[in-house]
Amino acid sequence: MEFEKAFEPGTIETRWYDHWQRLGVFTARPESDRPAFCMVIPPPNVTGRLHMGHALNNTLQDILARWRRMKGEDVLWLPGTDHAGIATQMVVDRQIQSEGSSREALGREEFIKRVWRWKEEYGGAIIGQLKRLGCSCDWTRERFTMEPALSRAVREAFVRLHEAGLVYRDKFIVNWCPRCRTAISDLEVIPQETQGHLYTVRYPFAGGGGGIDVATTRPETMLGDTGVAVHPDDPRYRAMVGHRVVLPLAGREIPIVADAFVDKEFGTGAVKITPAHDANDFEAARRTGLPPLIVMDEQGRMNENVPARYRSLDRFEARRLVVEDLKAGGHLVGVQDHLHNVGRCQRCNTVIEPYLSTQWFVRVKHMADAAMGAVAEGRVRFTPPYWVNSYNEWMGKIHDWCISRQLWWGHQIPAWHCGTCAEIHVAREAPVVCGRCGGTVLKQDPDVLDTWFSSGLWPFSTLGWPEATADLARYYPTTVLVTGFDILFFWVARMIMMGLHLMPDVPFHRVYITGLVRDAEGQKMSKTRGNVIDPLDLIDRYGADALRFTLAAMATPGSDLPLAEERMVGYRAFANKIWNAARFVLMNRGDAGTGSAAPPLPARDRLSAGDRWILSRLSRLASTVDERLQEFRFDEMANALYQFLWHEYCDWYLEIAKPSLLPGADAADRERAQAVLLHVLESVLRLLHPVMPFLTEDLWQRLPHRGDTIALAPYPAPDPGLIDEAAEREIERVMEVVSRIRNIRAELNIDPGRRLPLLYRAGDLEAGRVIARNAATIAALARLESVEEAPDMTRLGPAARAVVPGLDLAVPLAGVLDLEAEKRRLLREIDKLSKEAEGHARKLGNADFIGKARPEAVDKARRIHQELQEKIGRLTATVESLRLG
RNA sequence: AGGCGCGUAGCUCAGGGGGAGAGCGCUACCUUGACACGGUAGAAGUCAGCGGUUCAAAUCCGCUCGCGCCUACCA
């Protein structure tokens, strides 16, 4: 196997992904006796392409899946796509229109065939993209929300909810999109602050003699007014209640009614009532008995219920003309600028029209209460927990859910209308005869269900529900759900409601809510801003591993992720660093035998302090990584791995081990060093595998290893037997000495290649032993020619000096040392330490601190202060000796 | 209008009652037998402001100011 000088991710990714698929690594084994771990993927739209949001939450899911799999659990990560009613219909619509035809010309049946054909041809591109990311989904269980089994689940759920009285059909005011020509739910309406006008219009009394002024932002809807409302306690209008006014332009007479919903302070305190085109008015009209009058068609054009002059006009043209006519007729009393919220269609941004129509609804109040209860009891836990507030707030004032859509692509509602007696039958299958009149002309309701209705069933419909399958028994409730807060209400809340009603238990126990991936400036990514970053492009340029590591490292719970490309550059460098570390470790092995068994770790008494140190650090890393993952702290997990690999393994341990590997080293020593290097590398690759699956697999395969794939190798567990605090202290001391000497070299501008002598005087026995034991290592790392004890440091010639706890260091530099520079350097150091010591001194001088603080805190402050004082003292003495000559 | 979150190094962010941290960037030096996608050393912060609790506050509480988000039927 070639071992290139730099890591080239592109060449290995598909190879290893294929390898995993061939081995069936991702396939769940419900028959196994291992504990089950299950996640369902938030199904991306079948029309979708992978965006940064997908990349983020699927990376996090994959980390969890790979981690649990390596821990020996039976992992099911169930993938699939969503049929995405409106989105998909729009895509195919456009395609047909570009051919000069139309959906209507094609007819419903043909159109649906076209959508399926489109799906087969172009749909699900995102699946391939998830694979490029490295997602370890169980592709043998891939689902699609429109496939027959899931359609059946949808019908079953609808019928059961209907039987329970939770699904009903009613004529109600809904959010209507005149462009999509369908009803949509409250959630699909995006309020947008808009600068509009508030028009004041005078409605004259039917009996003559003045009139009442009403204020409106949508004057065209007056053509549908069937009354005027005032507050019952409003003294200005109380006497007018019951009187009639003449509706300008239309000429109809309408009554003045009283209703407490009117805000006396707003506008004129009198409100025109348009029951068929305003949600509030609709409610008020119901209370006061005013009839609704629909004045627009489903495309937002004025219909036959308005005077001929306005008929067929688009609502905004009608608005213009109505205002013009009101002005001309002297009915317009005033116009003011007015800032208000206008609801727009989430899909097409068209201004939503509140519209009276017959729709299907889910009565959600009780389901919402149950769903809140499950969260309150901790049966479903959110991370971060503060999302519970939003969840409860929304659930608390939820309105019935409009689930019917006037689309063609989707689950057609399982309700059949009798052509004879108009009875509606809700049933799992089409009835043959009408149960009421015996009529045989039964027509299925043309509407389809809101896409989120089927998504709400996803955690169990995908496992086979309503069949009692083995998968359902084993994997429901699922373990964790990872998703974005943008679909907390659309999806998460509804899954909990549906799961609680249709299943014996909640759909998942944990919900991890990700932040939003933003651009480097913290702006939301959007096509209009032109700042969209394509994860596939990042994979091409930096590799899937670097992208995954970046996302994991930035995934701090509860905050958004501003994605700066420099960050990716940094983590690609990290991948390269690991690559080269492995290259070095293998390069120095004589046999370099791939697949051979790893050499056993030498017995403890044969290990060097450096060996014991890195093994101890490795064991701590294993604990940290596991703990961090338990808590969904992907960022801290990633940082711990980064820190260990780069700064402990590469910066220090490799350098410490190098002398043992170079030609001329003792054979036994070389063997020991190699064994430890390999052991630690192989272990940390396994720890890293969930985040960087491709790189780690590729390197692992080159290392001596056991098994076919790292993806099924055991996840390293912390080994308490390897924790070695003495070795950690020892190497820390070595590191400190080396750093001080490097500092001398750098600050005094001494040739980095020059070998220097080091003299030391030990203030305590242990420190002296440590230096003596590690003299060779220190010499190698600090580029020294000698390390010698000098009991008397006062009689040296010109030498650079440094102190570390328990040790005075001197680097004799006859003829090279700039005494002034050295003095400045030492004084700077003293100054820094003094500032630090000051704080502690103040604290220790405070009687209250001594008396009231925890004794450990006092001890610690004393120790630190003493240490600092001691260093300062020794440095000061050194400066003085410098002055002497 | 309510609710939530956030203001810590030039940038992006961790931390969360007792010695101010990371990555990137910056400065100086270094092509030393893995890596210049590299190494070594360094500079850099009144932890938004004000007040309170405490022996001790970047950290807990309150207020103020900024920024962001979510929810809501003010025509």
Side-chain angles (χ1 to χ4, degrees):
Chain A
M1 227 182 302
E2 287 288 309
F3 215 139
E4 305 294 336
K5 191 173 170 185
F7 174 48
E8 284 161 33
T11 59
I12 62 159
E13 291 177 356
T14 52
R15 183 163 96 242
W16 292 120
Y17 201 88
D18 291 345
H19 180 69
W20 296 323
Q21 292 214 278
R22 258 198 314 278
L23 292 174
V25 168
F26 310 153
T27 310
R29 310 281 175 203
E31 71 286 354
S32 84
D33 53 7
R34 289 173 287 160
F37 177 89
C38 179
M39 296 182 292
V40 290
I41 203 169
N45 287 355
V46 68
T47 52
R49 283 182 56 83
L50 193 77
H51 58 58
M52 287 311 302
H54 296 126
L56 171 64
N57 76 54
N58 288 296
T59 291
L60 302 185
Q61 286 173 83
D62 196 45
I63 290 171
L64 294 175
R66 288 179 182 272
W67 168 56
R68 304 302 278 241
R69 202 177 283 121
M70 289 176 77
K71 280 173 72 120
E73 297 179 22
D74 167 34
V75 171
L76 170 55
W77 181 15
L78 195 147
T81 48
D82 193 292
H83 69 280
I86 299 184
T88 309
Q89 178 160 323
M90 278 168 68
V91 167
V92 179
D93 244 345
R94 263 199 299 275
Q95 197 185 47
I96 293 169
Q97 273 165 27
S98 76
E99 294 163 7
S101 183
S102 74
R103 170 156 63 100
E104 287 75 11
L106 226 57
R108 183 165 184 156
E109 207 172 316
E110 250 337 279
F111 177 77
I112 290 172
K113 276 191 200 156
R114 274 295 294 263
V115 180
W116 277 107
R117 235 188 302 149
W118 179 92
K119 191 250 172 191
E120 297 314 324
E121 207 167 327
Y122 307 102
I126 198 164
I127 295 298
Q129 298 169 342
L130 288 170
K131 291 179 179 173
R132 286 210 57 199
L133 232 203
C135 294
S136 63
C137 305
D138 184 347
W139 300 111
T140 66
R141 285 174 166 82
E142 184 183 338
R143 300 294 194 180
F144 177 51
T145 51
M146 278 292 281
E147 71 183 55
L150 269 63
S151 288
R152 188 183 155 209
V154 166
R155 286 196 301 277
E156 181 70 25
F158 186 91
V159 170
R160 285 201 200 175
L161 288 168
H162 182 260
E163 282 166 354
L166 295 174
V167 155
Y168 64 93
R169 188 170 183 261
D170 194 11
K171 195 165 191 190
F172 205 80
I173 195 116
V174 294
N175 305 298
W176 184 270
C177 175
R179 173 125 177 266
C180 302
R181 274 181 269 160
T182 178
I184 57 177
S185 73
D186 293 350
L187 277 175
E188 291 161 282
V189 180
I190 310 301
Q192 200 175 70
E193 199 157 85
T194 307
Q195 186 58 251
H197 301 286
L198 185 65
Y199 301 89
T200 307
V201 184
R202 173 154 305 167
Y203 288 8
F205 293 128
I212 189 166
D213 292 348
V214 298
T216 180
T217 54
R218 299 193 303 149
E220 72 283 7
T221 62
M222 68 173 286
L223 300 172
D225 285 2
T226 58
V228 170
V230 297
H231 195 280
D233 302 334
D234 193 332
R236 292 173 295 177
Y237 300 118
R238 201 179 302 154
M240 299 180 191
V241 174
H243 289 67
R244 300 178 76 79
V245 293
V246 179
L247 186 62
L249 309 185
R252 284 185 285 114
E253 274 190 25
I254 55 175
I256 298 174
V257 299
D259 193 284
F261 96 101
V262 179
D263 178 355
K264 285 180 281 188
E265 310 302 319
F266 188 87
T268 61
V271 189
K272 60 193 268 317
I273 299 293
T274 321
H277 293 278
D278 183 281
N280 277 318
D281 292 5
F282 179 76
E283 300 285 353
R286 275 202 170 171
R287 288 191 294 268
T288 53
L290 296 175
L293 179 67
I294 298 174
V295 291
M296 289 177 207
D297 66 14
E298 54 181 38
Q299 295 188 58
R301 292 177 306 211
M302 308 313 288
N303 71 5
E304 68 285 357
N305 292 328
V306 303
R309 183 173 163 68
Y310 308 106
R311 246 167 247 173
S312 305
L313 286 183
D314 174 80
R315 51 197 169 138
F316 295 109
E317 289 169 43
R319 176 179 301 176
R320 203 179 40 77
L321 193 58
V322 162
V323 171
E324 209 176 284
D325 291 350
L326 285 173
K327 210 180 283 173
H331 303 290
L332 192 63
V333 182
V335 183
Q336 317 167 251
D337 286 341
H338 184 60
L339 194 65
H340 62 138
N341 278 329
V342 174
R344 287 172 179 273
C345 176
Q346 185 195 40
R347 252 328 125 191
C348 69
N349 206 38
T350 301
V351 173
I352 291 303
E353 192 63 37
Y355 195 60
L356 186 62
S357 60
T358 302
Q359 304 286 346
W360 292 88
F361 295 87
V362 177
R363 210 182 300 281
V364 285
K365 181 78 179 68
H366 292 295
M367 294 169 86
D369 287 346
M372 277 193 282
V375 170
E377 288 163 19
R379 290 159 64 201
V380 178
R381 285 167 57 205
F382 287 172
T383 302
Y386 61 74
W387 281 108
V388 172
N389 287 324
S390 300
Y391 172 84
N392 284 336
E393 200 194 338
W394 185 75
M395 283 289 197
K397 44 182 152 181
I398 195 168
H399 293 135
D400 282 359
W401 174 16
C402 176
I403 50 170
S404 43
R405 297 289 180 274
Q406 287 63 49
L407 305 173
W408 287 356
W409 175 241
H411 298 284
Q412 201 168 343
I413 290 178
W416 283 265
H417 301 250
C418 171
T420 315
C421 71
E423 175 78 357
I424 299 172
H425 302 276
V426 169
R428 288 168 179 82
E429 303 297 335
V432 181
V433 293
C434 173
R436 185 166 165 214
C437 71
T440 53
V441 185
L442 288 148
K443 224 180 130 208
Q444 186 168 6
D445 194 298
D447 290 355
V448 301
L449 286 164
D450 181 3
T451 301
W452 295 103
F453 187 91
S454 54
S455 318
L457 314 176
W458 186 251
F460 44 98
S461 64
T462 52
L463 293 172
W465 187 86
E467 298 295 331
T469 61
D471 275 6
L472 195 62
R474 179 163 171 81
Y475 300 114
Y476 191 93
T478 64
T479 321
V480 186
L481 180 82
V482 178
T483 189
F485 60 82
D486 49 329
I487 51 174
L488 183 62
F489 306 134
F490 274 110
W491 191 46
V492 180
R494 275 134 179 199
M495 281 189 288
I496 298 176
M497 292 194 281
M498 293 288 208
L500 284 169
H501 188 261
L502 296 167
M503 296 291 292
D505 202 351
V506 294
F508 29 73
H509 294 301
R510 296 294 299 257
V511 182
Y512 178 85
I513 296 165
T514 66
L516 200 68
V517 184
R518 296 170 175 275
D519 73 4
E521 275 72 51
Q523 298 283 315
K524 210 165 174 170
M525 291 186 194
S526 73
K527 276 173 228 142
T528 48
R529 276 201 191 89
N531 62 347
V532 176
I533 303 172
D534 180 359
L536 295 166
D537 176 50
L538 295 178
I539 291 174
D540 287 339
R541 286 159 55 218
Y542 301 101
D545 290 319
L547 173 61
R548 293 167 59 110
F549 197 94
T550 305
L551 293 171
M554 298 201 310
T556 301
S559 62
D560 290 342
L561 299 75
L563 186 68
E565 215 160 299
E566 303 88 76
R567 198 80 189 247
M568 294 261 339
V569 172
Y571 290 127
R572 179 185 58 182
F574 177 56
N576 188 57
K577 185 81 179 172
I578 301 165
W579 176 264
N580 277 288
R583 199 160 74 98
F584 175 72
V585 170
L586 289 177
M587 181 185 283
N588 283 286
R589 262 175 73 85
D591 60 338
T594 304
S596 60
L601 216 46
R604 191 172 185 74
D605 57 4
R606 290 193 46 219
L607 294 175
S608 72
D611 297 338
R612 282 180 281 119
W613 168 75
I614 197 70
L615 290 167
S616 184
R617 301 301 302 159
L618 173 69
S619 185
R620 290 191 197 276
L621 177 69
S623 309
T624 305
V625 165
D626 201 72
E627 280 163 22
R628 293 297 98 105
L629 280 179
Q630 296 282 3
E631 297 157 14
F632 301 102
R633 289 307 303 260
F634 302 97
D635 56 333
E636 293 186 344
M637 177 233 194
N639 286 335
L641 286 162
Y642 184 96
Q643 170 69 25
F644 177 85
L645 261 160
W646 200 311
H647 298 304
E648 297 188 306
Y649 188 74
C650 291
D651 286 353
W652 289 99
Y653 187 68
L654 277 184
E655 297 303 326
I656 289 172
K658 256 180 198 171
S660 307
L661 301 172
L662 295 180
D666 171 69
D669 193 40
R670 163 188 294 255
E671 212 172 291
R672 170 198 57 78
Q674 277 176 347
V676 179
L677 277 167
L678 282 169
H679 174 87
V680 175
L681 181 61
E682 195 272 343
S683 302
V684 75
L685 286 177
R686 281 185 281 137
L687 286 170
L688 182 63
H689 178 257
V691 193
M692 299 185 126
F694 298 107
L695 169 72
T696 51
E697 179 77 88
D698 196 79
L699 294 177
W700 189 81
Q701 296 281 353
R702 295 164 187 267
L703 256 43
H705 63 272
R706 195 181 295 277
D708 296 325
T709 168
I710 190 173
L712 294 178
Y715 206 63
D719 180 349
L722 290 179
I723 299 288
D724 189 332
E725 296 193 13
E728 290 189 24
R729 275 197 305 274
E730 179 158 343
I731 297 302
E732 266 160 35
R733 207 191 287 266
V734 168
M735 284 164 33
E736 213 174 336
V737 169
V738 170
S739 294
R740 292 331 294 160
I741 296 165
R742 285 171 174 169
N743 173 267
I744 287 171
R745 207 189 272 280
E747 297 213 356
L748 298 178
N749 278 319
I750 296 163
D751 176 7
R754 181 181 168 133
R755 295 267 166 192
L756 302 172
L758 173 69
L759 297 175
Y760 69 92
R761 193 188 69 81
D764 74 72
L765 219 57
E766 180 54 23
R769 286 208 197 101
V770 166
I771 299 307
R773 260 203 306 266
N774 296 280
T777 296
I778 293 169
L781 294 182
R783 303 204 128 233
L784 303 172
E785 60 178 14
S786 62
V787 177
E788 279 167 34
E789 183 154 24
D792 185 1
M793 298 281 268
T794 58
R795 300 213 256 161
L796 296 174
R801 310 287 287 259
V803 300
V804 300
L807 289 168
D808 285 328
L809 306 174
V811 179
L813 288 166
V816 184
L817 185 66
D818 174 344
L819 273 179
E820 283 309 309
E822 169 65 354
K823 202 166 122 189
R824 279 199 303 275
R825 190 180 73 85
L826 292 172
L827 287 173
R828 219 165 35 235
E829 180 74 11
I830 291 169
D831 194 51
K832 211 163 84 182
L833 295 173
S834 302
K835 274 191 191 130
E836 243 182 273
E838 215 174 293
H840 296 277
R842 205 179 310 119
K843 216 156 50 167
L844 291 164
N846 182 347
D848 283 329
F849 175 67
I850 306 293
K852 297 185 186 175
R854 295 193 331 273
E856 306 91 83
V858 180
D859 283 351
K860 193 173 171 195
R862 277 212 181 96
R863 208 176 55 241
I864 295 164
H865 184 250
Q866 201 179 347
E867 203 172 89
L868 288 167
Q869 281 303 332
E870 195 223 357
K871 269 195 193 175
I872 292 166
R874 286 192 281 139
L875 280 170
T876 308
T878 307
V879 173
E880 258 139 40
S881 75
L882 230 48
R883 191 168 295 142
L884 295 172

